[in-house]
Amino acid sequence: MLEEVERWLADRSWSAADRPLDQLLDLKRAAGTTVSVVLPALDEEATVGAIVEVVRRELIEGLPVPLVDELVVIDSGSADRTAEVAAKAGARVVHRDEILPRIPALPGKGEVLWRSLLATTGDVVCFVDADLRDFSASFVSGIVGPLLTDPGVQFVKAMYDRPLGDAPGQGGRVTELVARPLLNLHWPQLAGFVQPLGGEYAVRRSLLERLPFPVGYGVELGLLVDALHTVGLDALAQVDVGVRLHRHQDGQALGRMAAAIYRTAQVRLSRGHLVRPELTQFERGPEGFVPRTYPVDTEERPPMLGVEEYGRRRVA
């Protein structure tokens, strides 16, 4: 590991307990910083309501100053009751297609996160996946904390244990097999991140609006790499929030995720294009293995600062 990364781990890796909530509220009141929490959601009726309820109960209501000013669920086309459950729990629900309708929406998580910048106003934007179980408010307060206490920090990732069933530490298979090798080989300054693909991170809007967003699963790696090149390693940090429990993908879904992440890395290494942006996988059918070919996400959205509608809102 680079000496620079060893120093970074000592200086920029914390625990959520290092910053008590009352300290954060005092600093937030003094600075006037606003915080938006965004949950990208697709068919998450089983979990999204409980997450919204925890954020409202512990970080908005009954506090002298709310830590969270805006709680938004972006529904990307759920076929279940995700939007209804989230609204009933107290979130503002916005459908992906209602945001920036001039540009037809593409499928993918990164698309939703990119559009969320137009649906929110906070100085700090905190992303939280909507499939988390046994959710703790420290997933939000922990990663927002450094942005309120240290003006030099601009991007904070959550780190946590990821059990797979009863096996501790066995989750995050795409991280270990794809993302971590890529980062260690090509961006060794990012080798200290425990969960580089984690969906829980808080970022200053002033940075997010300057970054391109891969529309699919590559968004987490893309934002992290581009943030490093934009603001430098010392502006990045991570906070231990405990244990992350969530729904796990099957092996073939993980393969498609890995392909998108590899493509995102490849573009950042060469700024070129894949010759064949497709991935063929195999499923056993009644008469043997059947090939299924899936497109690999190849689109990226430009930095939000260049979008006309966003610029008009800033002027207003």
Side-chain angles (χ1 to χ4, degrees), residues 36-101:
S36 299
V37 172
V38 172
L39 277 69
L42 177 63
D43 296 330
E44 302 294 357
E45 68 173 346
T47 51
V48 67
I51 298 172
V52 170
E53 288 173 356
V54 170
V55 174
R56 287 201 62 84
R57 182 176 65 248
E58 300 188 27
L59 300 178
I60 298 178
E61 299 169 350
L63 298 175
V65 177
L67 184 69
V68 173
D69 301 280
E70 196 173 36
L71 176 55
V72 182
V73 171
I74 310 290
D75 184 5
S76 58
S78 298
D80 65 3
R81 297 172 56 249
T82 291
E84 178 185 344
V85 170
K88 185 176 180 180
R92 176 163 64 91
V93 179
V94 183
H95 194 282
R96 174 200 61 198
D97 297 346
E98 297 173 357
I99 307 168
L100 200 58

Side-chain angles (χ1 to χ4, degrees), residues 248-261:
H248 291 281
Q249 305 269 16
D250 63 34
Q252 293 207 331
L254 293 178
R256 297 190 290 274
M257 185 184 302
I261 290 165

